[in-house]
Amino acid sequence: MNRVYLDANATTPLDARVKEQMSVWLDCGNASSPHAEGRAARDAIDRAREQVAALIGAHEREIVFTSGATEANALALLGSMRATKANSTFCSAIEHPSVLRTLEAVRNAAKLTVGAVDGHGTLVELPDGHALVSVMYANNETGVVQNVPALAERVHGYGGILHCDAVQACGKLPVDVAALGVDLLTLSAHKMHGPKGVGALYAKRGTPMEPLFFGGEHERGMRAGTENVAAIVGLGAAAELASVELSERNALWTRLHAELVGSVRAQIDGAHFHLAPTQLPNTLSMRFDDAEGEAVLLGLDLEGVAVATGSACSSGAAEPSHVLRAIGLSEREVEQSIRVSFHAQNTSEDVTRAVAAMCKVVKGLRALSGSSNAL
Ligand code: PMP
């Protein structure tokens, strides 16, 4: 029987239409070469740049292709810090490690302030005066969405730069850089049915930036290195599909979300959902009393259902999720938490099978631990 894959926030399956477009470009010229082979590769990259720019309402000249969101975040933060000689930075407590760890790594040069969030994961306060502020649009673990336009107004009020990690928002929410008011924005292909290892940074015209890599004029001097044409074509194709199918995907996720919450509540006692008033419809952070998240994940895996505990980056490592701790969950509750995240090809049948597997696994674990909360 087919497996049920409910871990889209870690990565999504590659869309067959994207794969087909990419396959043509696996073997191609160097986009910097002036001959026909090179020009063809350059044209393919230019088209992808238009598709990515269109997804977020940017100009093509504002898009820098990178090896993924981790690199785009590093370029945004380190590149703008170097260019502005920023001496203080601010980010929320629930940022992705690629933002938190980057800002921590340079805290000797620029003092880092980490802002607390409330029980839903919403940033509580944004003090004035930080030269560079980084706040994600939608969180990968709980799906909570921040009020980015309000943050942008605040940061621009005192002349700071706002970076936004929109990796989980792109392809799930409408993302318009002008409406958000951001200076820098990060996205990644593999979270929206594109390939792994490619992403982009949006840098608003005029934003002071220095590159991280030197030795080539690729990406308008912002990212030296021969472009991965097939991957960039895949990002472009995925971006176009994401904008065309945005409302259809959202309707699907809203329905699946309601079905999963309804079925779990009806069938399993002691189930809790970590929901925020404004959040991604594809993401569900939850926990079961008297059942370890790691054990639930492994049990579900044996039943053919793939979910996550915390984020993919922290599962596998013993470190409990900093995001769930920041929203006020106890150590015990964090350890019990799992994350279900839908992609564009999930179905109601996937939800039915996942909930049946959850009933079986949670019941088994509770029986083992002698819990009175049998189901
Ligand atoms: N930011 C967020 C919010 C993410 O979820 C991820 C992927 N887990 C990243 C950044 C890093 O993206 P990539 O895998 O493309 O480096």
Side-chain angles (χ1 to χ4, degrees):
M1 204 180 206
N2 288 343
R3 285 180 58 87
V4 175
Y5 183 78
L6 302 177
D7 197 12
N9 288 9
T11 198
T12 50
L14 184 63
D15 189 292
R17 294 162 293 180
V18 173
K19 190 174 174 183
E20 197 183 311
Q21 292 189 46
M22 288 175 68
S23 62
V24 182
W25 296 100
L26 283 168
D27 183 11
C28 65
N30 184 325
S32 300
S33 302
H35 48 57
E37 289 83 349
R39 291 197 312 274
R42 167 67 42 214
D43 288 349
I45 292 175
D46 286 347
R47 179 166 147 64
R49 200 182 303 285
E50 284 166 17
Q51 290 168 314
V52 171
L55 176 70
I56 60 170
H59 191 278
E60 301 91 81
R61 289 162 75 96
E62 296 172 315
I63 304 296
V64 180
F65 289 123
T66 65
S67 66
T70 299
E71 184 192 327
N73 281 340
L75 175 60
L77 302 172
L78 302 176
S80 68
M81 280 172 72
R82 279 185 197 157
T84 58
K85 308 214 167 19
N87 59 12
S88 82
T89 61
F90 177 94
C91 73
S92 85
I94 60 165
E95 292 308 306
H96 188 263
S98 60
V99 166
L100 268 170
R101 297 280 109 83
T102 299
L103 293 177
E104 277 169 11
V106 293
R107 68 192 323 166
N108 284 342
K111 187 175 172 291
L112 170 65
T113 304
V114 178
V117 295
D118 65 16
H120 293 306
T122 309
L123 185 63
V124 177
E125 204 190 358
L126 175 54
D128 277 357
H130 296 288
L132 176 63
V133 172
S134 183
V135 178
M136 70 198 332
Y137 194 0
N139 182 265
N140 44 309
E141 295 192 41
T142 67
V144 61
V145 172
Q146 305 294 332
N147 186 347
V148 178
L151 301 174
E153 200 173 316
R154 176 101 197 202
V155 173
H156 292 152
Y158 65 82
I161 292 178
L162 178 63
H163 166 251
C164 180
D165 177 341
V167 167
Q168 297 291 346
C170 283
K172 297 178 189 145
L173 299 173
V175 176
D176 182 275
V177 286
L180 290 173
V182 295
D183 302 293
L184 299 160
L185 180 137
T186 296
L187 58 89
S188 183
H190 75 105
K191 310 288 183 173
M192 47 179 182
H193 297 280
K196 291 161 192 61
V198 63
L201 177 67
Y202 155 81
K204 187 177 168 183
R205 243 168 306 183
T207 307
M209 281 293 292
E210 280 186 20
L212 299 183
F213 304 164
F214 301 87
E217 284 311 305
H218 310 84
E219 299 300 296
R220 303 168 55 77
M222 273 305 134
R223 206 277 185 179
T226 303
E227 298 90 340
N228 184 346
V229 183
I232 291 171
V233 165
L235 169 57
E240 188 169 307
L241 287 173
S243 46
V244 172
E245 296 180 0
L246 185 71
S247 50
E248 194 186 315
R249 291 180 186 182
N250 267 283
L252 169 74
W253 293 327
T254 304
R255 182 164 59 76
L256 299 183
H257 187 117
E259 285 173 8
L260 192 135
V261 173
S263 305
V264 167
R265 285 202 169 126
Q267 296 177 44
I268 311 177
D269 286 340
H272 309 271
F273 294 92
H274 315 137
L275 301 172
T278 317
Q279 69 153 76
L280 295 175
N282 87 312
T283 308
L284 267 164
S285 174
M286 60 198 282
R287 67 179 197 277
F288 300 104
D289 290 341
D290 306 316
E292 289 289 319
E294 202 68 34
V296 174
L297 180 149
L298 294 173
L300 290 177
D301 191 35
L302 288 175
E303 295 295 319
V305 178
V307 300
T309 60
S311 73
C313 319
S314 54
S315 46
E319 191 60 10
S321 156
H322 68 287
V323 174
L324 299 178
R325 268 191 298 192
I327 65 170
L329 265 60
S330 68
E331 290 294 299
R332 181 94 195 93
E333 290 166 342
V334 172
E335 280 165 14
Q336 290 171 342
S337 296
I338 61 164
R339 178 190 68 192
V340 168
S341 49
F342 301 118
H343 58 78
Q345 285 123 34
N346 284 126
T347 61
S348 291
E349 202 208 321
D350 290 343
V351 172
T352 306
R353 283 179 55 198
V355 176
M358 284 175 190
C359 283
K360 183 172 169 188
V361 168
V362 172
K363 188 177 176 183
L365 290 170
R366 285 176 179 168
L368 273 178
S369 68
S371 159
S372 55
N373 212 341
L375 244 197

